[in-house]
Structure formats: C-alpha cells, structure tokens
Amino acid sequence: MLDLFDVTALFGFFALLAYFWRAQGTREIALRATRKHLELQQLALLDDHVALRAIWFKRNSKGEFSLWRRYIFEFTATGHERYKGCVITLGNKIESYELEPHRFPNDIIH
C-alpha cells in the first residue's frame, strides 16, 4: 500500500525527471543556435559543447515566469587560440550571445 510519503516522493521523482528532460532540450537548442551563430561569424565552436553555468527565474515578454539560463562555451577564430563566450536563454528561446574580444578570421596573416 502506498502512503502519503510514497506518493509525494514518487511525484517529486517524476517532477525532477521532467525538469531534466526539458533542460536537456533547452541545452540542445542553445548548442545548435551557438554553432550557427559562430559559423555566421566564421568562428568555430570548440569541444562541441555548451555548459550550464547559471539558472534563474525571469519574466518573458508576456510577463510570465520562465527559466533564464546562461551557458558557457569556448570558440576559436584561428584554430590556435581559445576564447570564451556565453549564450543566454529564456525558456526555450535564445536571448543573447556574449563573445570575448577575439581576432577576426580576416586578421590572420598566412
């Protein structure tokens, strides 16, 4: 027989599972968008990875609370130097990108 504690624990487990499932989907959205953003600037994503660095609640444009996430990544312009960047998501939408100052691919002397 299930008592109230068992039902609560089971509900909590499934809530955590649902959160991690959605978080993985948001990370994949951030990864794809970051790849595309860097490619348009003739930059390359290193390690093919974005890592969650911060999470918070914030209101979206409709005034509803959504999860705000900041993912960090590393990129290169030359293939020899590593630079840091981050992508901000609000819900499942990209809010912004921030890139460290870096060399532009056209500045490289061959």
Side-chain angles (χ1 to χ4, degrees):
M1 224 38 216
L2 292 176
D3 61 7
L4 185 57
F5 176 78
D6 294 335
V7 171
T8 304
L10 197 57
F11 177 77
F13 172 75
F14 284 117
L16 271 172
L17 190 62
Y19 166 77
F20 283 115
W21 182 272
R22 268 193 80 119
Q24 184 66 17
T26 303
R27 191 189 72 77
E28 287 297 322
I29 290 168
L31 179 60
R32 281 193 306 268
T34 300
R35 273 193 213 120
K36 186 173 184 172
H37 180 74
L38 293 176
E39 186 179 296
L40 290 172
Q41 296 187 40
Q42 298 178 334
L43 301 170
L45 179 64
L46 295 174
D47 306 324
D48 201 37
H49 179 73
V50 295
L52 181 64
R53 187 55 58 191
I55 189 167
W56 196 249
F57 289 102
K58 190 175 175 184
R59 291 187 186 270
N60 61 20
S61 60
K62 298 176 184 175
E64 303 165 340
F65 278 108
S66 291
L67 283 178
W68 175 94
R69 295 177 176 101
R70 184 167 72 99
Y71 295 92
I72 60 169
F73 57 88
E74 291 186 330
F75 66 97
T76 186
T78 64
H80 300 290
E81 299 162 331
R82 295 177 88 91
Y83 301 100
K84 295 187 185 308
C86 75
V87 57
I88 306 292
T89 63
L90 184 58
N92 283 333
K93 299 197 183 322
I94 304 298
E95 281 250 302
S96 64
Y97 297 95
E98 295 174 17
L99 303 177
E100 276 186 348
H102 59 280
R103 291 183 190 219
F104 289 95
N106 298 340
D107 294 342
I108 302 166
I109 300 171
H110 290 88

